[in-house]
Amino acid sequence: MPELPEVEVVRAGLEPAVTGALIASVDVRDERALTRHTGGAAHFEAALTGQRISAAVRRGKFLWMPFSDDEAIVTHLGMSGQMLLRVPGAPEERHERIRIELEHPVHGPLSVVFADQRTFGSLAVDQLVDTPDGAAAGRGSNLARVPTQVAHIARDPLDPAFDVGRFRARLARTASGIKRVLLDQTVASGIGNIYADESLWAARIHPETSASALPTRAVNRLLGEVRAVLDKALAEGGTSFDAQYVNVNGQAGYFAHSLNAYGRTGQPCPRCARPIVRVSFMNRSSHFCPHCQRLR
DNA sequence: CCAATCGCCTGCTGGC
DNA sequence: TGCCAGCAGGCGATTG
């Protein structure tokens, strides 16, 4: 369930280890980790070997490591992907898919391991293109160049160049339920099921409220809560329910203790003490307080 | 063009 | 005890 805060924790952990590092070798152990890469394992390994990584950048849930002004390793963790930092020769991780050996000019040799239980995540070599607004593509670099696989998604709500006017306009012309719209990465990126539920609970908005029916002040309140929830989760190291989400050193985050709605079916709403309900939605679940979050 | 659904995948849990 | 349905849910592709 890595969403924006979890991916940012991973990016921040990778940054000092990979910036300036030379890619000594690449070992693809499971081709399913390359579903977004065109060219196969041999091509992936050859394209990366001998290159030097210049940064670790993130927009929404996408993470990428540029190795020139034109190319980057794009990473998406999917549901259960992990990027782990290990010493060379470290034992194979459970669900290990790809191992990249680096030679850092200061820290020396280290391994970056991509492990992924459910194989929804992947790595790919992708081309970089200019950002339409000329601003930095994401957090972690000033370069205004974004991978083609990431170019179609919106900036995330924590991005200084996030276009609030565009966000409001998208909501105003979409009749779908607000939760569905929040999960649409082309509206605002980085929000998944957990933080959508938490933001809507904080803003006291029912998840099925039509987006276009939200008054301007409700939209502003919601965006404020989205940012507050993402910031707090990031400060607490992200949300870990099981061993699936961990930082680059394999450690869990603490935000699961701060959840008010998500996963709290039947437990009292922290605001009004009435039980949180769970409803089926888009092959997943919505958790909310039917008293604090009324559909009108 | 837009909205909604489907398929991908593994491991765990709960009911019988 | 074993078996299986259900659940976790991101994304892109496909359908309506």
Side-chain angles (χ1 to χ4, degrees), chain A residues 91-111:
Chain A
E92 179 159 341
E93 296 290 330
R94 190 157 157 77
H95 307 302
E96 178 164 336
R97 310 297 183 199
I98 295 174
R99 184 172 289 222
I100 300 174
E101 304 293 348
L102 299 179
E103 183 63 40
H104 193 279
V106 176
H107 310 306
L110 76 153
S111 307

Side-chain angles (χ1 to χ4, degrees), chain A residues 137-153:
Chain A
R139 185 180 293 199
S141 167
N142 291 324
L143 195 67
R145 302 273 284 167
V146 63
T148 64
Q149 296 183 10
V150 185
H152 70 287
I153 72 168

Side-chain angles (χ1 to χ4, degrees), chain A residues 7 12 38 58 67-68 73 112 125 128 134 192 248 250 256 264 291:
Chain A
V7 182
T38 47
R58 181 197 54 78
F67 55 85
S68 76
I73 309 168
V112 175
V125 172
L128 296 170
V248 294
R264 300 192 67 251
H291 178 73

Side-chain angles (χ1 to χ4, degrees), chain A residues 260-268 275-279 285-288:
Chain A
N260 291 305
Y262 182 87
R264 300 192 67 251
T265 311
Q267 297 176 53
I276 295 290
V277 301
R278 170 187 171 275
V279 298
S285 298
S286 275
H287 310 79
F288 62 98

Side-chain angles (χ1 to χ4, degrees), chain A residues 153-183:
Chain A
I153 72 168
R155 290 179 178 278
D156 62 65
L158 300 187
D159 188 327
F162 180 75
D163 190 340
V164 179
R166 185 174 174 278
F167 177 77
R168 287 201 195 95
R170 277 296 293 273
L171 265 55
R173 64 180 162 84
T174 308
S176 299
I178 183 62
K179 179 168 174 184
R180 185 185 290 271
V181 179
L182 278 182
L183 293 174

Side-chain angles (χ1 to χ4, degrees), chain A residues 190-213:
Chain A
I191 305 165
N193 208 37
I194 297 172
Y195 298 112
D197 280 359
E198 290 301 301
S199 302
L200 290 166
W201 179 88
R204 306 185 188 217
I205 296 171
H206 191 288
E208 286 162 40
T209 306
S210 168
S212 57

Side-chain angles (χ1 to χ4, degrees), chain A residues 176-291:
Chain A
S176 299
I178 183 62
K179 179 168 174 184
R180 185 185 290 271
V181 179
L182 278 182
L183 293 174
D184 183 341
Q185 303 297 298
T186 69
V187 174
S189 62
I191 305 165
N193 208 37
I194 297 172
Y195 298 112
D197 280 359
E198 290 301 301
S199 302
L200 290 166
W201 179 88
R204 306 185 188 217
I205 296 171
H206 191 288
E208 286 162 40
T209 306
S210 168
S212 57
L214 288 172
T216 302
R217 69 175 181 283
V219 172
N220 291 339
R221 188 173 72 242
L222 176 57
L223 183 56
E225 295 295 354
V226 166
R227 287 172 165 155
V229 166
L230 294 176
D231 273 332
K232 183 159 190 273
L234 177 54
E236 296 184 13
T239 304
S240 303
F241 294 112
D242 48 30
Q244 289 317 314
Y245 163 67
V246 292
N247 69 11
V248 294
N249 298 312
Q251 298 159 327
Y254 294 102
F255 192 72
H257 302 288
S258 301
L259 295 172
N260 291 305
Y262 182 87
R264 300 192 67 251
T265 311
Q267 297 176 53
C269 166
R271 233 175 356 228
C272 75
R274 290 175 177 83
I276 295 290
V277 301
R278 170 187 171 275
V279 298
S280 197
F281 162 84
M282 288 170 74
N283 277 336
R284 65 198 72 180
S285 298
S286 275
H287 310 79
F288 62 98
C289 172
H291 178 73

